[in-house]
Every structure is written in C-alpha cells, then in structure tokens.
Amino acid sequence: MIVDANAPIGANDLIKDTTTETFMADVVDASQDVPVLVDFWGPDCQPCETLKPVLESLVRSMNGAIKLVKVNAQEAQDIAMQMRVQSVPTVFCFKGGRPVDAFQGALPESELRKFIEKQIGGGGSPIAQALAHAKELLDAGEAANAQEVYVQILEHDRSNPEACAGVMRTHVALGNVDSARQIADNLPDELKKNEHIASAIAMIDLAGAADVDTSELEAKLAADPNDHQARFDLGMALYGAGQTEEGLLQLLEIVRKDRTWNEDAARLQMLKIFEAVGLSDPTVIKIRKKLTTVLF
C-alpha cells in the first residue's frame, strides 16, 4: 500500500479564516457547540508558518471534536488588542463563548496534541482513540490488525502523520521493508520532518539489522574484544532482533573505548536508534543517561 500524503482533504467547516466582522459567529457562537481554537498569526512570521500545518493536521485528525479559526493579527488589530495578544503566534481555546486556555509560540506536535486533547476531554476524538488502539495492537505484535486500523484512519484523514508512520512501522514489522521505504520515499520533504514520520523512517533505515548472524560476531569479539566493527554489527543485530537495550549497550561500549572510531559511527547510530524507538521509551531514557555519563 502507498499512502498519498498529498491527496486533498475533503472540504469542511473545521478550519477557516475570520475577520472582525465574522469573529462573533465563527468563534463565540461556534464555541457553544464545540471547542474552537483561535490562532492569531502574522505575515512574515516563521513560527506561525511552522505551527500552521501541524495545528491544522491535528484539528482534522480530531474528526470534528474541535475547530480552528485563524486570525491575521495585523488586519484584525482590534480583536488582537481585546485579547491582549502580545506576540504571534498565540492560540486561544474558546468554550461556551469565552476563552478558557491559551499558549504562545510554535509548540512541538506532541505538546499541541496534549493541549487539544485537554480541551476535548474524555478519550479524545474517534481518530485519537483509533490511533491509540492501533498502537496497542502493534505493540502486542498484531501488526496486520494494526495496519488495518491505520489505513482506516488515513481514509478519514489522509495527511495524519501518526497514522502514516504507523503504516510504515507495520510494514516493517511484517517484513515488508521495501513497501515501507516506498511510502517514505513518496512523502513530501515537509512531512518527513514530523516527529512520527522521522521516527518511522529511522526504523526503516535500521530494519536490515535483523539479518546478521550473532554467533559469528560473538566469536569474533571473544577472540578480540577491541574489534569495534564486530561489536558494532553485533549491536545492530541485537537491536534488529528486538533486544534494543542489549544492542545499545554494545554500541555504548564502542563509544566508551573509542568515540572517534569510524567517524563517531557508534554514537551516531545510537542517536538513530533513539529516534526510531522514541525518546520517551524507558530503555532509551536509561541508555541516554549512560551515554551522557560516558561523553561528559
């Protein structure tokens, strides 16, 4: 399966621009039914441009549980002053006709998602619940079932980066690395910067590690503990076999003995594994602390 990340999203009323004249209807009145995010932005504002696609994608993924209204702070200065907007981007959340929460700056996607989920309450949108269910299936080793859920999500939200990354991860888990790589290669460069997509691509790059015979590498290390290439290959083989901590410890040992080996290859590979597994993973947190101790 190839995910077309550029496929058009169906027209809806979830995201719109507003003016001074329409602000009351678009925001105050609309927030009586569902929470409404109000994004105050400005021309030539790079953080605004960074925030915009991520915020829009997350709002779409909530399947109608929340709306987004965008305000050009320069053109609607009266509203910006009334809301005491001091810098852009500034995002407010309206509920029941009044602002109840806000943040400034271009937050990372993970923080934006938490902010939106907080406003929605409960278990979040149907898509958010489906994403959580798909991840549970994948973590439980049910990659085929997880892939079906991710594909269903993409049928409703074709640009959902977490679902797109999930499809790639399930392909890798099912042994279809070439299919996963084909999906990644077809994605636009901007989407590849997304944290979920970048992590999945890192996993694809490391997927071939499981094909290495560890017994031969272990024999080489027994004969010569300073054979860094053998230790490097062993670390990658262990990682590929699902022994993430053991693999990282082998790479860490290379860094401990000779950080400059092969142009810092061991440390750089550790960073790639961190990204593939996820920076919030307990094993990654544990090994990152050890790496920091070795380096500093």
Side-chain angles (χ1 to χ4, degrees):
M1 173 202 161
I2 303 300
V3 178
D4 182 3
N6 291 312
I9 305 298
N12 54 52
D13 196 39
L14 294 179
I15 300 172
K16 62 168 59 177
D17 293 285
T18 195
T19 64
T20 300
E21 292 73 21
T22 58
F23 186 86
M24 184 63 68
D26 291 340
V27 176
V28 177
D29 294 344
S31 70
Q32 301 290 346
D33 299 320
V34 296
V36 177
L37 298 179
V38 183
D39 175 20
F40 285 89
W41 63 278
D44 302 320
C45 167
Q46 187 55 50
C48 298
E49 291 301 314
T50 300
L51 175 67
K52 176 183 174 182
V54 182
L55 190 57
E56 290 184 357
S57 176
L58 286 173
V59 168
R60 289 191 183 99
S61 75
M62 297 300 153
N63 206 30
I66 195 166
K67 294 184 177 182
L68 171 63
V69 173
K70 296 176 287 185
V71 183
N72 185 327
Q74 287 190 8
E75 294 180 355
Q77 294 186 19
D78 52 342
I79 298 178
M81 291 179 62
Q82 184 177 349
M83 296 299 300
R84 298 181 181 178
V85 174
Q86 298 180 345
S87 64
V88 291
T90 294
V91 177
F92 291 89
C93 179
F94 275 70
K95 290 183 183 179
R98 62 187 183 86
V100 295
D101 207 346
F103 68 84
Q104 292 182 333
L107 300 181
E109 181 184 345
S110 58
E111 294 301 315
L112 283 174
R113 185 179 293 278
K114 290 178 183 178
F115 181 85
I116 292 175
E117 292 286 356
K118 175 185 174 183
Q119 311 312 321
I120 295 174
S125 73
I127 286 183
Q129 294 178 35
L131 286 168
H133 177 54
K135 186 177 184 304
E136 289 177 0
L137 289 172
L138 183 56
D139 290 344
E142 300 180 37
N145 292 332
Q147 187 173 102
E148 289 183 8
V149 177
Y150 283 127
V151 170
Q152 290 173 9
I153 294 170
L154 289 170
E155 289 175 354
H156 294 279
D157 180 10
R158 296 188 183 101
S159 65
N160 188 292
E162 189 171 350
C164 182
V167 170
M168 289 189 284
R169 287 179 176 275
T170 57
H171 273 301
V172 172
L174 292 168
N176 304 323
V177 179
D178 289 342
S179 296
R181 193 177 302 281
Q182 190 175 4
I183 294 173
D185 290 344
N186 286 343
L187 295 175
D189 291 339
E190 190 62 31
L191 191 56
K192 291 178 181 178
K193 298 176 184 177
N194 174 271
E195 59 183 297
H196 298 291
I197 299 294
S199 177
I201 291 175
M203 169 178 277
I204 294 169
D205 292 340
L206 296 168
D211 299 330
V212 181
D213 182 1
T214 60
S215 60
E216 181 179 346
L217 295 170
E218 289 167 351
K220 286 184 177 181
L221 275 179
D224 180 6
N226 291 317
D227 186 342
H228 297 325
Q229 185 61 59
R231 190 177 298 279
F232 182 90
D233 292 341
L234 176 60
M236 295 306 300
L238 291 170
Y239 166 74
Q243 301 178 55
T244 301
E245 182 172 355
E246 292 81 355
L248 285 169
L249 287 174
Q250 292 294 339
L251 297 175
L252 180 64
E253 183 63 17
I254 298 173
V255 177
R256 191 191 314 275
K257 290 186 173 182
D258 183 4
R259 174 177 172 177
T260 63
W261 174 79
N262 198 14
E263 298 182 349
D264 204 13
R267 184 186 66 86
L268 294 176
Q269 197 72 337
M270 290 180 73
L271 297 181
K272 183 170 284 191
I273 293 176
F274 291 163
E275 185 175 28
V277 176
L279 297 180
S280 61
D281 182 87
T283 296
V284 170
I285 294 173
K286 176 181 176 181
I287 301 299
R288 284 180 70 191
K289 290 180 179 179
K290 292 179 178 293
L291 178 60
T292 300
T293 301
V294 169
L295 295 177
F296 303 103

PDB file of all heavy atoms in Angstrom, residues 25-52:
ATOM      1  N   ALA A  25     -19.527  35.162  15.058  1.00  0.00           N
ATOM      2  CA  ALA A  25     -20.194  33.942  14.588  1.00  0.00           C
ATOM      3  C   ALA A  25     -19.225  32.765  14.522  1.00  0.00           C
ATOM      4  O   ALA A  25     -19.552  31.647  14.933  1.00  0.00           O
ATOM      5  CB  ALA A  25     -20.823  34.188  13.221  1.00  0.00           C
ATOM      6  N   ASP A  26     -18.005  33.024  14.003  1.00  0.00           N
ATOM      7  CA  ASP A  26     -17.048  31.945  13.789  1.00  0.00           C
ATOM      8  C   ASP A  26     -16.457  31.399  15.081  1.00  0.00           C
ATOM      9  O   ASP A  26     -16.083  30.219  15.143  1.00  0.00           O
ATOM     10  CB  ASP A  26     -15.901  32.431  12.887  1.00  0.00           C
ATOM     11  CG  ASP A  26     -16.356  32.691  11.465  1.00  0.00           C
ATOM     12  OD1 ASP A  26     -17.409  32.162  11.076  1.00  0.00           O
ATOM     13  OD2 ASP A  26     -15.646  33.423  10.741  1.00  0.00           O
ATOM     14  N   VAL A  27     -16.357  32.270  16.086  1.00  0.00           N
ATOM     15  CA  VAL A  27     -15.678  31.841  17.312  1.00  0.00           C
ATOM     16  C   VAL A  27     -16.637  31.769  18.500  1.00  0.00           C
ATOM     17  O   VAL A  27     -16.855  30.689  19.074  1.00  0.00           O
ATOM     18  CB  VAL A  27     -14.503  32.786  17.638  1.00  0.00           C
ATOM     19  CG1 VAL A  27     -13.850  32.389  18.971  1.00  0.00           C
ATOM     20  CG2 VAL A  27     -13.475  32.760  16.519  1.00  0.00           C
ATOM     21  N   VAL A  28     -17.192  32.898  18.870  1.00  0.00           N
ATOM     22  CA  VAL A  28     -18.010  32.953  20.083  1.00  0.00           C
ATOM     23  C   VAL A  28     -19.232  32.051  19.969  1.00  0.00           C
ATOM     24  O   VAL A  28     -19.503  31.214  20.844  1.00  0.00           O
ATOM     25  CB  VAL A  28     -18.428  34.402  20.389  1.00  0.00           C
ATOM     26  CG1 VAL A  28     -19.343  34.434  21.622  1.00  0.00           C
ATOM     27  CG2 VAL A  28     -17.195  35.270  20.619  1.00  0.00           C
ATOM     28  N   ASP A  29     -19.989  32.218  18.872  1.00  0.00           N
ATOM     29  CA  ASP A  29     -21.191  31.397  18.698  1.00  0.00           C
ATOM     30  C   ASP A  29     -20.839  29.927  18.473  1.00  0.00           C
ATOM     31  O   ASP A  29     -21.465  29.032  19.044  1.00  0.00           O
ATOM     32  CB  ASP A  29     -22.027  31.917  17.523  1.00  0.00           C
ATOM     33  CG  ASP A  29     -22.592  33.302  17.787  1.00  0.00           C
ATOM     34  OD1 ASP A  29     -22.600  33.720  18.967  1.00  0.00           O
ATOM     35  OD2 ASP A  29     -23.019  33.969  16.824  1.00  0.00           O
ATOM     36  N   ALA A  30     -19.840  29.682  17.627  1.00  0.00           N
ATOM     37  CA  ALA A  30     -19.473  28.300  17.296  1.00  0.00           C
ATOM     38  C   ALA A  30     -18.982  27.534  18.515  1.00  0.00           C
ATOM     39  O   ALA A  30     -19.179  26.320  18.622  1.00  0.00           O
ATOM     40  CB  ALA A  30     -18.406  28.288  16.206  1.00  0.00           C
ATOM     41  N   SER A  31     -18.336  28.241  19.458  1.00  0.00           N
ATOM     42  CA  SER A  31     -17.783  27.560  20.626  1.00  0.00           C
ATOM     43  C   SER A  31     -18.849  27.130  21.624  1.00  0.00           C
ATOM     44  O   SER A  31     -18.543  26.488  22.621  1.00  0.00           O
ATOM     45  CB  SER A  31     -16.766  28.468  21.326  1.00  0.00           C
ATOM     46  OG  SER A  31     -17.403  29.569  21.948  1.00  0.00           O
ATOM     47  N   GLN A  32     -20.115  27.478  21.346  1.00  0.00           N
ATOM     48  CA  GLN A  32     -21.197  26.968  22.176  1.00  0.00           C
ATOM     49  C   GLN A  32     -21.430  25.486  21.912  1.00  0.00           C
ATOM     50  O   GLN A  32     -21.969  24.764  22.758  1.00  0.00           O
ATOM     51  CB  GLN A  32     -22.492  27.750  21.890  1.00  0.00           C
ATOM     52  CG  GLN A  32     -22.417  29.250  22.146  1.00  0.00           C
ATOM     53  CD  GLN A  32     -22.311  29.599  23.614  1.00  0.00           C
ATOM     54  OE1 GLN A  32     -22.549  28.763  24.494  1.00  0.00           O
ATOM     55  NE2 GLN A  32     -21.938  30.845  23.913  1.00  0.00           N
ATOM     56  N   ASP A  33     -21.012  25.036  20.712  1.00  0.00           N
ATOM     57  CA  ASP A  33     -21.232  23.641  20.328  1.00  0.00           C
ATOM     58  C   ASP A  33     -19.996  22.772  20.548  1.00  0.00           C
ATOM     59  O   ASP A  33     -20.083  21.680  21.108  1.00  0.00           O
ATOM     60  CB  ASP A  33     -21.643  23.564  18.854  1.00  0.00           C
ATOM     61  CG  ASP A  33     -22.942  24.315  18.590  1.00  0.00           C
ATOM     62  OD1 ASP A  33     -23.856  24.232  19.425  1.00  0.00           O
ATOM     63  OD2 ASP A  33     -23.036  24.983  17.542  1.00  0.00           O
ATOM     64  N   VAL A  34     -18.827  23.241  20.061  1.00  0.00           N
ATOM     65  CA  VAL A  34     -17.565  22.509  20.222  1.00  0.00           C
ATOM     66  C   VAL A  34     -16.472  23.514  20.550  1.00  0.00           C
ATOM     67  O   VAL A  34     -16.595  24.707  20.233  1.00  0.00           O
ATOM     68  CB  VAL A  34     -17.177  21.727  18.944  1.00  0.00           C
ATOM     69  CG1 VAL A  34     -18.191  20.646  18.640  1.00  0.00           C
ATOM     70  CG2 VAL A  34     -16.996  22.669  17.774  1.00  0.00           C
ATOM     71  N   PRO A  35     -15.378  23.075  21.171  1.00  0.00           N
ATOM     72  CA  PRO A  35     -14.259  23.993  21.422  1.00  0.00           C
ATOM     73  C   PRO A  35     -13.732  24.554  20.097  1.00  0.00           C
ATOM     74  O   PRO A  35     -13.709  23.863  19.077  1.00  0.00           O
ATOM     75  CB  PRO A  35     -13.214  23.108  22.108  1.00  0.00           C
ATOM     76  CG  PRO A  35     -13.987  21.968  22.678  1.00  0.00           C
ATOM     77  CD  PRO A  35     -15.111  21.721  21.724  1.00  0.00           C
ATOM     78  N   VAL A  36     -13.304  25.818  20.141  1.00  0.00           N
ATOM     79  CA  VAL A  36     -12.767  26.479  18.948  1.00  0.00           C
ATOM     80  C   VAL A  36     -11.377  27.043  19.280  1.00  0.00           C
ATOM     81  O   VAL A  36     -11.234  27.842  20.207  1.00  0.00           O
ATOM     82  CB  VAL A  36     -13.679  27.620  18.460  1.00  0.00           C
ATOM     83  CG1 VAL A  36     -13.042  28.336  17.263  1.00  0.00           C
ATOM     84  CG2 VAL A  36     -15.047  27.084  18.088  1.00  0.00           C
ATOM     85  N   LEU A  37     -10.375  26.622  18.537  1.00  0.00           N
ATOM     86  CA  LEU A  37      -9.042  27.195  18.670  1.00  0.00           C
ATOM     87  C   LEU A  37      -8.973  28.443  17.804  1.00  0.00           C
ATOM     88  O   LEU A  37      -9.406  28.431  16.655  1.00  0.00           O
ATOM     89  CB  LEU A  37      -7.979  26.201  18.221  1.00  0.00           C
ATOM     90  CG  LEU A  37      -7.867  24.893  19.001  1.00  0.00           C
ATOM     91  CD1 LEU A  37      -6.778  24.015  18.395  1.00  0.00           C
ATOM     92  CD2 LEU A  37      -7.565  25.162  20.469  1.00  0.00           C
ATOM     93  N   VAL A  38      -8.417  29.500  18.347  1.00  0.00           N
ATOM     94  CA  VAL A  38      -8.254  30.750  17.600  1.00  0.00           C
ATOM     95  C   VAL A  38      -6.765  31.039  17.486  1.00  0.00           C
ATOM     96  O   VAL A  38      -6.102  31.336  18.485  1.00  0.00           O
ATOM     97  CB  VAL A  38      -8.980  31.924  18.297  1.00  0.00           C
ATOM     98  CG1 VAL A  38      -8.863  33.185  17.453  1.00  0.00           C
ATOM     99  CG2 VAL A  38     -10.447  31.573  18.542  1.00  0.00           C
ATOM    100  N   ASP A  39      -6.257  30.944  16.276  1.00  0.00           N
ATOM    101  CA  ASP A  39      -4.827  31.113  16.011  1.00  0.00           C
ATOM    102  C   ASP A  39      -4.560  32.524  15.503  1.00  0.00           C
ATOM    103  O   ASP A  39      -4.909  32.870  14.370  1.00  0.00           O
ATOM    104  CB  ASP A  39      -4.376  30.079  14.977  1.00  0.00           C
ATOM    105  CG  ASP A  39      -2.920  30.263  14.552  1.00  0.00           C
ATOM    106  OD1 ASP A  39      -2.163  30.914  15.308  1.00  0.00           O
ATOM    107  OD2 ASP A  39      -2.546  29.749  13.486  1.00  0.00           O
ATOM    108  N   PHE A  40      -3.957  33.366  16.345  1.00  0.00           N
ATOM    109  CA  PHE A  40      -3.539  34.703  15.930  1.00  0.00           C
ATOM    110  C   PHE A  40      -2.154  34.591  15.297  1.00  0.00           C
ATOM    111  O   PHE A  40      -1.198  34.185  15.954  1.00  0.00           O
ATOM    112  CB  PHE A  40      -3.499  35.656  17.131  1.00  0.00           C
ATOM    113  CG  PHE A  40      -4.864  36.087  17.597  1.00  0.00           C
ATOM    114  CD1 PHE A  40      -5.547  35.351  18.548  1.00  0.00           C
ATOM    115  CD2 PHE A  40      -5.460  37.224  17.070  1.00  0.00           C
ATOM    116  CE1 PHE A  40      -6.811  35.745  18.979  1.00  0.00           C
ATOM    117  CE2 PHE A  40      -6.720  37.632  17.495  1.00  0.00           C
ATOM    118  CZ  PHE A  40      -7.406  36.885  18.453  1.00  0.00           C
ATOM    119  N   TRP A  41      -2.059  34.962  14.011  1.00  0.00           N
ATOM    120  CA  TRP A  41      -0.811  34.837  13.273  1.00  0.00           C
ATOM    121  C   TRP A  41      -0.499  36.170  12.596  1.00  0.00           C
ATOM    122  O   TRP A  41      -1.308  37.100  12.610  1.00  0.00           O
ATOM    123  CB  TRP A  41      -0.912  33.730  12.229  1.00  0.00           C
ATOM    124  CG  TRP A  41      -1.952  33.999  11.168  1.00  0.00           C
ATOM    125  CD1 TRP A  41      -3.299  33.770  11.258  1.00  0.00           C
ATOM    126  CD2 TRP A  41      -1.727  34.579   9.884  1.00  0.00           C
ATOM    127  NE1 TRP A  41      -3.935  34.166  10.112  1.00  0.00           N
ATOM    128  CE2 TRP A  41      -2.990  34.662   9.246  1.00  0.00           C
ATOM    129  CE3 TRP A  41      -0.601  35.028   9.208  1.00  0.00           C
ATOM    130  CZ2 TRP A  41      -3.140  35.189   7.961  1.00  0.00           C
ATOM    131  CZ3 TRP A  41      -0.747  35.548   7.925  1.00  0.00           C
ATOM    132  CH2 TRP A  41      -2.007  35.628   7.314  1.00  0.00           C
ATOM    133  N   GLY A  42       0.686  36.254  12.023  1.00  0.00           N
ATOM    134  CA  GLY A  42       1.086  37.470  11.334  1.00  0.00           C
ATOM    135  C   GLY A  42       1.913  37.166  10.094  1.00  0.00           C
ATOM    136  O   GLY A  42       2.561  36.127  10.016  1.00  0.00           O
ATOM    137  N   PRO A  43       1.906  38.044   9.118  1.00  0.00           N
ATOM    138  CA  PRO A  43       2.721  37.865   7.913  1.00  0.00           C
ATOM    139  C   PRO A  43       4.213  37.853   8.258  1.00  0.00           C
ATOM    140  O   PRO A  43       4.644  38.495   9.221  1.00  0.00           O
ATOM    141  CB  PRO A  43       2.364  39.087   7.057  1.00  0.00           C
ATOM    142  CG  PRO A  43       1.057  39.571   7.594  1.00  0.00           C
ATOM    143  CD  PRO A  43       1.087  39.274   9.053  1.00  0.00           C
ATOM    144  N   ASP A  44       4.992  37.107   7.479  1.00  0.00           N
ATOM    145  CA  ASP A  44       6.439  37.023   7.675  1.00  0.00           C
ATOM    146  C   ASP A  44       6.819  36.527   9.065  1.00  0.00           C
ATOM    147  O   ASP A  44       7.874  36.878   9.606  1.00  0.00           O
ATOM    148  CB  ASP A  44       7.102  38.394   7.421  1.00  0.00           C
ATOM    149  CG  ASP A  44       6.822  38.909   6.014  1.00  0.00           C
ATOM    150  OD1 ASP A  44       6.853  38.083   5.085  1.00  0.00           O
ATOM    151  OD2 ASP A  44       6.575  40.110   5.865  1.00  0.00           O
ATOM    152  N   CYS A  45       5.957  35.713   9.645  1.00  0.00           N
ATOM    153  CA  CYS A  45       6.222  35.136  10.976  1.00  0.00           C
ATOM    154  C   CYS A  45       6.573  33.666  10.794  1.00  0.00           C
ATOM    155  O   CYS A  45       5.693  32.840  10.523  1.00  0.00           O
ATOM    156  CB  CYS A  45       4.992  35.301  11.869  1.00  0.00           C
ATOM    157  SG  CYS A  45       5.034  34.318  13.395  1.00  0.00           S
ATOM    158  N   GLN A  46       7.857  33.324  10.924  1.00  0.00           N
ATOM    159  CA  GLN A  46       8.275  31.945  10.706  1.00  0.00           C
ATOM    160  C   GLN A  46       7.666  30.966  11.707  1.00  0.00           C
ATOM    161  O   GLN A  46       7.225  29.878  11.323  1.00  0.00           O
ATOM    162  CB  GLN A  46       9.802  31.845  10.732  1.00  0.00           C
ATOM    163  CG  GLN A  46      10.345  30.467  10.355  1.00  0.00           C
ATOM    164  CD  GLN A  46       9.849  30.000   9.003  1.00  0.00           C
ATOM    165  OE1 GLN A  46       9.932  30.720   8.019  1.00  0.00           O
ATOM    166  NE2 GLN A  46       9.306  28.786   8.939  1.00  0.00           N
ATOM    167  N   PRO A  47       7.626  31.296  13.009  1.00  0.00           N
ATOM    168  CA  PRO A  47       6.964  30.373  13.944  1.00  0.00           C
ATOM    169  C   PRO A  47       5.501  30.131  13.576  1.00  0.00           C
ATOM    170  O   PRO A  47       4.990  29.025  13.789  1.00  0.00           O
ATOM    171  CB  PRO A  47       7.093  31.089  15.290  1.00  0.00           C
ATOM    172  CG  PRO A  47       8.304  31.946  15.136  1.00  0.00           C
ATOM    173  CD  PRO A  47       8.279  32.423  13.717  1.00  0.00           C
ATOM    174  N   CYS A  48       4.847  31.155  13.017  1.00  0.00           N
ATOM    175  CA  CYS A  48       3.451  30.985  12.588  1.00  0.00           C
ATOM    176  C   CYS A  48       3.363  29.955  11.473  1.00  0.00           C
ATOM    177  O   CYS A  48       2.467  29.100  11.452  1.00  0.00           O
ATOM    178  CB  CYS A  48       2.872  32.312  12.102  1.00  0.00           C
ATOM    179  SG  CYS A  48       2.797  33.608  13.362  1.00  0.00           S
ATOM    180  N   GLU A  49       4.307  30.041  10.528  1.00  0.00           N
ATOM    181  CA  GLU A  49       4.319  29.113   9.405  1.00  0.00           C
ATOM    182  C   GLU A  49       4.659  27.692   9.874  1.00  0.00           C
ATOM    183  O   GLU A  49       4.178  26.709   9.304  1.00  0.00           O
ATOM    184  CB  GLU A  49       5.339  29.570   8.355  1.00  0.00           C
ATOM    185  CG  GLU A  49       4.938  30.846   7.633  1.00  0.00           C
ATOM    186  CD  GLU A  49       3.609  30.701   6.911  1.00  0.00           C
ATOM    187  OE1 GLU A  49       3.417  29.674   6.228  1.00  0.00           O
ATOM    188  OE2 GLU A  49       2.755  31.597   7.039  1.00  0.00           O
ATOM    189  N   THR A  50       5.488  27.592  10.905  1.00  0.00           N
ATOM    190  CA  THR A  50       5.835  26.279  11.456  1.00  0.00           C
ATOM    191  C   THR A  50       4.640  25.650  12.154  1.00  0.00           C
ATOM    192  O   THR A  50       4.374  24.448  12.027  1.00  0.00           O
ATOM    193  CB  THR A  50       7.000  26.418  12.453  1.00  0.00           C
ATOM    194  OG1 THR A  50       8.141  26.960  11.771  1.00  0.00           O
ATOM    195  CG2 THR A  50       7.363  25.073  13.062  1.00  0.00           C
ATOM    196  N   LEU A  51       3.899  26.469  12.891  1.00  0.00           N
ATOM    197  CA  LEU A  51       2.764  25.977  13.663  1.00  0.00           C
ATOM    198  C   LEU A  51       1.582  25.591  12.780  1.00  0.00           C
ATOM    199  O   LEU A  51       0.919  24.575  13.032  1.00  0.00           O
ATOM    200  CB  LEU A  51       2.330  27.057  14.662  1.00  0.00           C
ATOM    201  CG  LEU A  51       1.072  26.764  15.489  1.00  0.00           C
ATOM    202  CD1 LEU A  51       1.332  25.611  16.453  1.00  0.00           C
ATOM    203  CD2 LEU A  51       0.629  28.019  16.250  1.00  0.00           C
ATOM    204  N   LYS A  52       1.336  26.359  11.740  1.00  0.00           N
ATOM    205  CA  LYS A  52       0.118  26.224  10.940  1.00  0.00           C
ATOM    206  C   LYS A  52      -0.164  24.811  10.451  1.00  0.00           C
ATOM    207  O   LYS A  52      -1.252  24.268  10.739  1.00  0.00           O
ATOM    208  CB  LYS A  52       0.161  27.195   9.759  1.00  0.00           C
ATOM    209  CG  LYS A  52      -1.026  27.068   8.812  1.00  0.00           C
ATOM    210  CD  LYS A  52      -0.885  27.999   7.622  1.00  0.00           C
ATOM    211  CE  LYS A  52      -1.983  27.770   6.605  1.00  0.00           C
ATOM    212  NZ  LYS A  52      -1.826  28.634   5.418  1.00  0.00           N
TER     213      LYS A  52
END
